[in-house]
Amino acid sequence: MLWEAVVFAALGLLAAWSASRMFPLRLPASPLVLTTGPVASLVGGLVTYSIVGVHHPEATFPAALLTSAALLSVLSRPPRRGRHAKALG
């Protein structure tokens, strides 16, 4: 179980890192993104692990990654553009 938790956290960190590189204008400060990814992945993976059981990594790892991506998408915001962009930032 311990190695699966490490893999869940690594998947979440990978998802957060790639999201912060792909969408730097849409996501807030990097420390928030880099902590939300692994924590969300751990929670999603552990909940799925407790529901489906021990010997189902084909269900737990994608669920951990999807939970991480879903919570990272909650952090996103529209990019600033238009005539009010300079006044806001």
Side-chain angles (χ1 to χ4, degrees):
M1 177 60 201
L2 180 63
W3 71 271
E4 289 175 340
V6 171
V7 172
F8 294 153
L11 281 173
L13 188 61
L14 179 67
W17 180 80
S18 62
S20 67
R21 296 295 177 244
M22 289 173 53
F23 307 110
L25 298 177
R26 290 186 174 256
L27 291 171
S30 189
L32 177 65
V33 172
L34 292 177
T35 55
T36 301
V39 169
S41 184
L42 272 171
V43 170
L46 292 176
V47 166
T48 307
Y49 182 85
S50 67
I51 291 172
V52 298
V54 176
H55 300 290
H56 295 286
E58 67 277 357
T60 55
F61 293 139
L65 189 61
L66 287 174
T67 306
S68 178
L71 284 180
L72 286 171
S73 72
V74 171
L75 292 177
S76 70
R77 59 182 178 239
R80 295 181 184 168
R81 56 182 154 172
R83 63 181 171 155
H84 298 292
K86 290 185 180 178
L88 293 175

